[in-house]
Amino acid sequence: TLENTAILDWCYKALEGSSKLGRTWADPKQYKRIMEEVGFVDVEERRLKWPLNTWPRDRKLKELGMWVREDMMEVFPAVKKVFVHGLGWSSEEADGFVERARRDLMDRGIHGWIDM
C-alpha cells in the first residue's frame, strides 16, 4: 500500500536529488551485479523484505518493523540536503516533505516493505 504515499515519493525524490548531485544511490537490487563487476566471485544473494513499520501480525516482523521505522525516522531528515541542494527546494519545503514522510511511516495502515 505504498502507492501515493510520501514514503514512496521520498524514495524517488532522494534518488533524483542524489543523482543531480553526482552521488547517485545504488539500488540494492543491483548489489550482486555491482559486486561481480568489480571482481568479486561466487557472490551469493539473499533478498529479504523488511516491514517499514509495525503493521505485520507476526511478532518478529512487528519488532523488525519497529526498528526499521525508528531508523527511517532518523534517515528521512538526514537526507534533507539532497532535496535542498539536489532538487533546489527551500528548507521549508524539504522540512514539510520530510514531515509528511514521517507521518506516513507512523501509519500502520500503510503496509510497506524495504528490499534488503
Side-chain angles (χ1 to χ4, degrees):
T1 58
L2 280 177
E3 292 301 316
N4 301 315
T5 65
I7 297 170
L8 188 59
D9 199 23
W10 182 93
C11 293
Y12 291 136
K13 297 292 186 194
L15 287 172
E16 179 185 348
S18 67
S19 180
K20 287 185 178 183
L21 290 170
R23 304 282 307 217
T24 304
W25 290 359
D27 178 357
K29 293 175 186 172
Q30 303 298 319
Y31 285 173
K32 181 179 184 209
R33 179 188 55 78
I34 292 168
M35 292 182 79
E36 290 170 339
E37 285 177 1
V38 298
F40 287 93
V41 294
D42 298 326
V43 177
E44 291 185 31
E45 180 178 55
R46 189 169 144 217
R47 291 194 179 181
L48 304 171
K49 289 188 177 278
W50 288 4
L52 285 172
N53 61 29
T54 59
W55 66 266
R57 289 187 179 135
D58 178 84
R59 185 183 61 78
K60 287 185 179 184
L61 289 175
K62 186 179 288 295
E63 182 177 356
L64 177 60
M66 186 256 322
W67 289 111
V68 171
R69 180 193 64 206
E70 293 307 307
D71 184 49
M72 293 303 293
M73 292 293 274
E74 299 298 321
V75 169
F76 283 167
V79 180
K80 176 180 171 179
K81 285 188 175 186
V82 169
F83 305 122
V84 173
H85 299 291
L87 300 178
W89 294 3
S90 71
S91 183
E92 294 77 19
E93 287 174 310
D95 286 339
F97 182 62
V98 164
E99 186 54 38
R100 286 190 302 280
R102 291 175 108 189
R103 260 195 318 268
D104 279 358
L105 197 58
M106 295 300 293
D107 183 347
R108 294 185 65 228
I110 295 174
H111 300 164
W113 295 91
I114 274 184
D115 287 324
M116 298 300 283

